[in-house]
Amino acid sequence: MSDTPFGFGLPPEEPEDGDEGKKKGNQGGQGGPANPFGFAGTGLPGGAGGPGGADNPFAAMFGSMNPNDLGAAFQQLGQMLSYEGGPVNWDMAKDIARQTVAQGTADGVKDVSVGVAEKSAVQEALRLADHWLDGVTSLPSGAATAVAWSRAEWVEATLPVWKELVDPVAERVGAAMGGVLPEEMQAMAGPLLGMMRSMGGAMFGQQIGQAVGVLAGEVVGSTDIGLPLGPAGKAALLPLNIESFGKDLGVPADEVRLYLALREAAHARLFAHVPWLRSHLFGAVEGYARGIKVDTSKLEDVVGQLDPSNPEQLQEALQGGMFQPQDTPEQKAALARLETALALVEGWVDAVVHEAAKPRLTSADAMRETMRRRRASGGPAEQTFATLIGLELRPRRLRDASRLWASLTDARGVDGRDGLWEHPDMLPTASDLDDPDGFVHREQLDFSEIDKMLGEAARKRDEDGDEKK
């Protein structure tokens, strides 16, 4: 995670390895300095700079650059201020994510294209994982294809879902930017407001690009945050990151790959065959986002002192803590709904994967504990999401949910357990996680029969209406 969210610094150009060895251009030009806009280290407000910076801000911003860097900086600045799209500059986000990936991770590991042998190993692991899962769940396979991605390919494949998750919050910030001036002044300040919206879109794009780029260096598949980030019907693993993940575990590499393949394939089954689950989770995220309050007092202070040559003022306001969840019953309910849903998804995956792996992998217990700690303690994925939209995407009750699903398996069998996914109202609630035995032995309504009865009643109404015409 970047230490300067909403910062403007772009990493250097992408090397020629990774993602089939192709260099990825970006609209802002490659080869620029690490801080192409020069907002830090200048004589402008918020920067430490040389003499004359305040009198000649553009000299302070660009005076130390060589001509090539200066041209790249102006091109990037023009791209930022001319943006007229939605609340997030997603082109910028994509470019920065790709360049962040190209820099490599902190341990010096660079992205590389996935080789033929690695693709084959991933496909075989996912095929075997699906076969093992057939015996522990009634949900059929959810992956039509198995793929091995480089980090750059993960960025490309998951950005559409990040857009769906982040745009609701970014829209609230954009609306706040347009509302900080009195109504009678807004007509006169059109260009200023337009510039602020463009800057806001660029700032979100910068932050999201850096966050997703860093996350691409750590995820092992397409479901690490408990949400389906990849395209439907695809189970994906990242061989390079799996190698890094298993390096210090003392577990054979093929067992690490196979255990992670089980988790990826289990998530794929759940999201493919529970049609309401994706919208339920994304709806909870959006419901939470609607309740986020944007602290417009920071924006009002900035607007009153805005120096067009120093967008770092607005950056500092955003960085200083802009998202404040409202303490309302609706907001609490949305958060509780999301946390419970995430716990149930992760708990089900944990339970069925352990049931499949325990008889076959000597490392099953150790891998299970490693993954539980990684998910429940707030790993890189959770930190990324918290920075992007002010929400901790953490299954806080993972262990409770896993125990409940295991108890359901013992009491009702695989079909009885998995049948609860037929309708959201059949799932355990947060209070049920407190009393799993009470839920396990409680009589459950058969919602499939209720739906059938309602459908027949609706058809009868339609037929009666046709007869009366």
Side-chain angles (χ1 to χ4, degrees):
M1 182 61 56
S2 170
D3 292 331
T4 56
F6 303 103
F8 286 90
L10 294 179
E13 70 176 21
E14 183 172 350
E16 296 195 16
D17 60 357
D19 197 20
E20 306 301 330
K22 296 178 183 178
K23 289 183 70 174
K24 177 70 177 178
N26 69 78
Q27 296 176 357
Q30 292 183 334
N35 189 0
F37 302 130
F39 294 147
T42 71
L44 299 174
D55 295 332
N56 190 350
F58 284 96
M61 290 169 67
F62 303 120
S64 61
M65 297 182 185
N66 63 48
N68 291 335
D69 290 343
L70 183 60
F74 274 118
Q75 191 173 5
Q76 293 281 5
L77 185 60
Q79 179 191 11
M80 180 184 74
L81 295 180
S82 64
Y83 174 70
E84 296 180 351
V88 177
N89 188 331
W90 285 103
D91 290 336
M92 177 177 284
K94 178 180 176 180
D95 287 344
I96 293 173
R98 291 290 300 257
Q99 293 177 45
T100 302
V101 163
Q103 278 190 310
T105 50
D107 56 4
V109 178
K110 299 279 189 177
D111 191 25
V112 294
S113 300
V114 180
V116 174
E118 291 171 317
K119 290 180 180 179
S120 177
V122 165
Q123 290 169 353
E124 176 60 21
L126 287 166
R127 184 199 65 77
L128 185 57
D130 247 345
H131 176 65
W132 288 0
L133 289 172
D134 284 339
V136 297
T137 174
S138 61
L139 298 180
S141 174
T145 56
V147 294
W149 284 338
S150 67
R151 293 166 179 171
E153 288 169 331
W154 182 90
V155 168
E156 296 277 353
T158 62
L159 270 179
V161 178
W162 287 115
K163 184 177 188 296
E164 187 175 350
L165 291 169
V166 174
D167 270 351
V169 175
E171 286 171 1
R172 293 189 64 81
V173 176
M177 285 182 171
V180 295
L181 290 178
E183 185 175 349
E184 62 272 14
M185 293 181 60
Q186 290 189 17
M188 297 166 41
L192 176 61
L193 292 175
M195 184 182 72
M196 289 178 63
R197 293 190 186 99
S198 297
M199 288 164 52
M203 290 171 187
F204 265 108
Q206 164 76 6
Q207 166 64 2
I208 293 165
Q210 287 183 343
V212 172
V214 170
L215 186 58
E218 299 167 337
V219 295
V220 295
S222 69
T223 55
D224 284 42
I225 68 170
L227 297 173
L229 293 179
K234 281 190 178 181
L237 294 176
L238 283 72
L240 183 62
N241 292 356
I242 290 176
E243 181 181 353
S244 299
F245 173 84
K247 185 167 55 176
D248 298 323
L249 295 180
V251 177
D254 58 340
E255 288 200 15
V256 174
R257 184 191 307 113
L258 190 47
Y259 191 89
L260 297 176
L262 281 166
R263 288 184 53 83
E264 180 76 4
H267 276 104
R269 288 181 181 229
L270 201 56
F271 285 111
H273 298 292
V274 182
W276 54 265
L277 181 57
R278 187 184 190 277
S279 60
H280 179 76
L281 287 168
F282 280 63
V285 172
E286 186 174 353
Y288 182 87
R290 282 197 300 268
I292 290 176
K293 178 182 178 182
V294 179
D295 187 357
T296 56
S297 63
K298 294 181 182 296
L299 290 174
E300 290 171 356
D301 291 343
V302 171
V303 169
Q305 310 170 25
L306 186 63
D307 178 354
S309 68
N310 185 21
E312 190 178 42
Q313 290 175 328
L314 187 54
Q315 173 197 351
E316 290 172 353
L318 294 170
Q319 186 176 347
M322 176 172 250
F323 303 124
Q324 298 177 353
Q326 292 181 340
D327 189 19
T328 64
E330 294 79 12
Q331 183 76 341
K332 290 178 179 178
L335 181 58
R337 186 167 66 251
L338 179 60
E339 288 182 342
T340 301
L342 287 171
L344 291 174
V345 168
E346 289 299 295
W348 183 88
V349 168
D350 178 79
V352 300
V353 166
H354 187 69
E355 190 176 352
K358 180 68 173 175
R360 300 177 174 94
L361 298 179
T362 58
S363 61
D365 289 333
M367 289 295 300
R368 183 189 205 185
E369 187 60 27
T370 298
M371 293 306 301
R372 279 182 167 186
R373 290 179 178 176
R374 190 174 192 253
R375 283 297 285 125
S377 63
E382 183 270 327
Q383 294 167 11
T384 296
F385 207 82
T387 300
L388 290 181
I389 70 166
L391 173 63
E392 291 184 352
L393 196 65
R394 185 186 304 178
R396 299 178 184 278
R397 308 197 62 182
L398 167 59
R399 293 176 188 270
D400 293 336
S402 182
R403 281 193 294 269
L404 187 147
W405 288 118
S407 297
L408 282 167
T409 307
D410 294 338
R412 304 185 186 183
V414 168
D415 291 342
R417 177 200 66 199
D418 293 347
L420 295 178
W421 291 107
E422 290 180 2
H423 196 285
D425 290 342
M426 295 177 69
L427 286 179
T429 63
S431 60
D432 292 324
L433 295 179
D434 296 327
D435 181 23
D437 289 338
F439 179 83
V440 168
H441 298 293
R442 187 187 311 153
E443 287 296 325
Q444 296 293 310
L445 293 173
D446 186 347
F447 277 83
S448 62
E449 288 300 319
I450 293 176
D451 288 342
K452 182 179 178 181
M453 292 170 58
L454 292 173
E456 290 176 351
R459 283 195 299 273
K460 190 174 185 307
R461 266 199 321 271
D462 293 340
E463 291 172 358
D464 291 344
D466 292 339
E467 291 176 358
K468 292 177 180 179
K469 289 180 181 179

